[in-house]
Every structure is written in structure tokens, then in C-alpha cells.
Amino acid sequence: MNQDLPALFKQSNFRHYWIGQIASSFAFQMLSVGIGWQMYDLTDSPLALGLVGLCQFLPQLLLTLVVGHVADRYNRRLICVFTRLTMAFTVAILVYGNFTNTVSANMIYACAMLLGTARAFELPANQAILPNLVPSEQLSRAVSAMASAREISVIAGPALGGVIYLLGPTTLFATSMSCFLISCVILSFLRYNFTVKHKTPASLEHLLGGLMFIKGNKVILGSVSLDMFAVLLGGATALLPIVAKDILETGPWGLGLLRCSPALGALLMSIYLARHPLTHSVGKIMFAAVAIFGVATILFGLSDQLILSMFALVLLGASDMISVVIRSTLVQLETPDEMRGRVSAANSIFIGSSNQLGEFESGVTAAWFGVVPAIIVGGVGTLAVVGIWMYLFPTLVQRNTLEEEAK
């Protein structure tokens, strides 16, 4: 069974895709450190940090129907290349603003909006292309391997980003821009011929197809909405600049360590799942993982020590990875290829809600109640969501394997 993992990397297509994803994710994670730290330096406001997340989320929400249609009708590789070029251009604006000392909160908000727009088109195309690159029986391992690529970048990106930031934000943003460009070059070697099987007109019914498919599949609806609400309430990572600076009293290097801690847990778990795929009780395992995510969030909120905070974030990242792999594999296996773009776009709204919108929610609650209460209440809310969803989606609870009833 474990011999299937090396076999994935013998395929040049998957190898190029995997490396390209590392470069892009590396760029984005370093960028997140720079934007978060600089915004808090400029404004000294937790609400401002939340608004950065909102600026990235709104384009994904508003463009949901359009980006799914585009991913189903046009070459997904070219979409990924173009959107990453757009992100490189956006980061170049921040390079210029810092080089000329004209950077401002409004400039960062505008760049966050541009990044959100580019990612709105990239996410569904990037997710929908993977099943076209590997055999279906290797998809679960491929999802885990791609997750490990992302988490490798999330570990190295923030940690190195915090160090590079000591050389100045201009250097950090220039490095991020270079990584986006490298990703574009690598993707250009991907051999991928996209064809549209059914050229359905862009009617409202067609555009809503992804949302309607998710609504009609209780297993997918339950899994993606569970992740959305759980991480929405437990989105403590948006407050990491404040925790690092005001509670743990560290500098950008401490922020980098905190940011890479969830990724370390996620990486270790993704490696384990790539070698030992889940074969039974996947529904119960998913709910247990989200519950652990809530407990880890509470522990993080109570901690005033860097090591304990990092441990809580490692646990948080590992439990979240289990949920991500189960959800992503279920969505890809049960969705016809001609609908994967629209379903992935709809799914990206759930993902975006649980990340960017979660950052906004955390910023608002921290401004109202304080950082520590906001984090703890979010963790308790995650545990409440687990209980409610187990009652609302018994089919998901009883789901035994990833492959059953697929297609």
C-alpha cells in the first residue's frame, strides 16, 4: 500500500504540480506574515487585522458563481498561471509602497482585495485539476501529498518570513513576489489538455449547479459546513500578531514560529495520512478531529507561554488536517469532472468563510471582548458546532469509508 506514494512522484505531471504548489503557498504564507505585522504596526488595531481577512473573503463570495463556471469551461492550468501572475503583480505594489515609504493601511486593504480576487479564480481551478492528474484510486494519497506540500510551505514560509522581515518589509515582499513567479514557471511544464465535454450555456441553473449539488449531497454538505462553522468560530490564527506582541512579548520571529506551528502539526499528520489512508469510520474520525481542534483553540487562548502556545497550535493543525483530507477527498470523489469547477468554487466559499471571514470574526470579537476571551469563546463554539452537526447530519457520522457511494 505504501508503495503507492513514491509512485505518485514518479509521474512528472504530479511532481510539477506539487512543486508549483509549494512555491505558491510559500509566497502566500510569507506574504501573510508581512501584511499582518505591518498592518498592526501601522494601525495598532485588532479590527484592522480582521478587515484584511474580510477584504480577501469578499471577492470569493461575490465571484463564486463566475469562477466555478470559468474553471469548468477553460484550461485550469492557464487559470492557475494567470492568477499567480496577478498575485505577483499585487505584491509588487507592496514592494513599491515600502520602497518609496508610501505604504498605508488603505494600500494594504486594496492589495488584500486584489489577492482575494485572484485567489477566487485560482482555488476552484487548482482543486478541480488534481483528479485529472492522478488515477482515482490514488486521489486520497494525492490530496494528502498536496496538503503536505502546502504545510511544508506554511512551516518554512512564516518562519523565514519573520526573519526576512527583520531586513525590512521591502525585502520580504520582494521574496514573496519571486516565489509566485517561480510557481508560474514550474506550472508551464505541466502537461494538461483540457477539453469541455458538454458546452452548457451559462444559464443561472448552470451557474448554481455547484451549490445545488452540495445541497443535495448530505455527506458533502455536512462535511464542508462543519469545517466552515468550526474554523469560523475557532479562527484564532488571525490574532497571532497581537498574541505574539502583547501577550507572549516576542517580535516578528515569534510571530513566524506561531504561524508555522499549525503547519508543523498539519504536515506531520498529512505525511501519516499519505502513508496510512483512512479506511474506516471516517465520519466519526472527522467529528473527533474537529472536537480536538476546539480543545486546542481553548488551550491556546489560556496559554501565556510561547512553548505551550506552539504546542496548542501544532495540535490544532494536526486535527484540522484530518478534517481537510476527509472533506477534500469526499468532494472530489463524489463530484463528476464536468462539475468539479463549480463544486470547488462553492466549496471554496466554505473554505474562505472559515479562514478569511473567520479572521474578521476574530478581529471583531477581540476588539469587543479582548483577545483571550475571543479565542476561548471561539473554541467553545467549535465544540458546540460538533455536537449540533452530529445531530443534523447522522449520515456523515455513520460514513465508514471515503469511497462508499462515490459517483
Side-chain angles (χ1 to χ4, degrees):
M1 292 288 289
N2 293 341
Q3 294 177 352
D4 290 343
L5 186 58
L8 277 175
F9 290 93
K10 291 180 180 178
Q11 304 173 36
S12 60
N13 254 8
F14 180 79
R15 189 168 59 250
H16 288 136
Y17 181 67
W18 191 82
I19 297 173
Q21 187 65 27
I22 285 183
S24 178
S25 182
F26 197 95
F28 188 79
Q29 294 303 323
M30 285 197 300
L31 180 62
S32 296
V33 170
I35 286 179
W37 192 266
Q38 187 164 60
M39 178 59 82
Y40 194 56
D41 259 352
L42 290 171
T43 65
D44 199 33
S45 168
L47 181 60
L49 292 175
L51 288 174
V52 171
L54 182 63
C55 286
Q56 293 185 64
F57 169 71
L58 283 178
Q60 296 182 39
L61 176 64
L62 298 176
L63 295 171
T64 301
L65 302 182
V66 175
V67 298
H69 173 73
V70 170
D72 280 337
R73 294 295 297 270
Y74 300 97
N75 190 302
R76 293 163 183 167
R77 180 181 67 87
L78 295 180
I79 293 173
C80 290
V81 170
F82 179 77
T83 53
R84 290 175 189 179
L85 282 174
T86 302
M87 285 186 268
F89 169 77
T90 302
V91 182
I93 296 175
L94 292 175
V95 173
Y96 174 80
N98 280 278
F99 184 76
T100 58
N101 293 318
T102 58
V103 67
S104 65
N106 287 335
M107 177 182 289
I108 294 176
Y109 288 140
C111 288
M113 188 74 73
L114 284 173
L115 287 170
T117 301
R119 283 175 64 81
F121 283 92
E122 182 205 27
L123 286 174
N126 195 43
Q127 293 170 20
I129 198 175
L130 182 57
N132 302 129
L133 302 179
V134 298
S136 60
E137 63 271 14
Q138 292 184 325
L139 182 59
S140 178
R141 282 187 170 86
V143 169
S144 297
M146 292 309 304
S148 69
R150 182 177 63 252
E151 302 309 333
I152 288 171
S153 306
V154 174
I155 290 172
L160 185 58
V163 174
I164 294 176
Y165 195 92
L166 297 176
L167 302 176
T170 303
T171 304
L172 175 63
F173 292 133
T175 305
S176 173
M177 178 186 68
S178 300
C179 288
F180 277 127
L181 293 175
I182 290 172
S183 176
C184 292
V185 173
I186 293 172
L187 283 183
S188 68
F189 292 99
L190 192 67
R191 294 192 301 273
Y192 170 70
N193 297 317
F194 179 76
T195 57
V196 180
K197 295 180 180 179
H198 306 288
K199 295 186 178 181
T200 307
S203 63
L204 182 61
E205 179 181 1
H206 177 74
L207 294 175
L208 291 172
L211 289 171
M212 298 307 296
F213 182 85
I214 291 177
K215 179 182 177 182
N217 189 309
K218 297 300 182 183
V219 169
I220 294 181
L221 177 62
S223 62
V224 297
S225 59
L226 171 66
D227 183 85
M228 180 187 75
F229 283 104
V231 183
L232 171 63
L233 294 171
T237 53
L239 304 176
L240 289 183
I242 305 174
V243 173
K245 187 174 184 179
D246 297 343
I247 297 178
L248 302 178
E249 298 180 350
T250 68
W253 64 270
L255 175 60
L257 289 176
L258 290 176
R259 279 200 176 276
C260 73
S261 293
L264 175 60
L267 174 62
L268 295 175
M269 182 57 68
S270 66
I271 293 173
Y272 176 83
L273 293 176
R275 295 182 60 84
H276 306 281
L278 299 171
T279 57
H280 60 85
S281 303
V282 295
K284 293 182 177 67
I285 291 173
M286 183 176 187
F287 280 104
V290 177
I292 294 173
F293 180 93
V295 172
T297 300
I298 295 173
L299 178 61
F300 176 72
L302 294 172
S303 172
D304 60 359
Q305 300 294 322
L306 179 60
I307 297 300
L308 181 57
S309 296
M310 290 174 63
F311 171 77
L313 292 174
V314 168
L315 183 61
L316 182 148
S319 58
D320 184 51
M321 178 53 57
I322 297 174
S323 173
V324 167
V325 169
I326 293 175
R327 184 197 70 231
S328 300
T329 306
L330 285 174
V331 170
Q332 298 293 3
L333 283 176
E334 299 205 350
T335 305
D337 184 60
E338 63 271 14
M339 291 189 65
R340 283 194 176 116
R342 284 166 290 159
V343 171
S344 295
N347 185 33
S348 69
I349 287 299
F350 291 90
I351 297 172
S353 297
S354 63
N355 290 293
Q356 282 79 34
L357 194 56
E359 292 178 6
F360 176 66
E361 178 271 337
S362 295
V364 171
T365 54
W368 286 351
F369 308 119
V371 174
V372 173
I375 295 174
I376 294 175
V377 169
V380 173
T382 298
L383 295 176
V385 166
V386 170
I388 295 171
W389 256 241
M390 290 183 72
Y391 173 77
L392 293 178
F393 297 94
T395 305
L396 179 58
V397 177
Q398 298 302 321
R399 181 78 179 215
N400 186 39
T401 66
L402 292 169
E403 293 80 11
E404 68 183 46
E405 300 176 3
K407 299 182 180 180

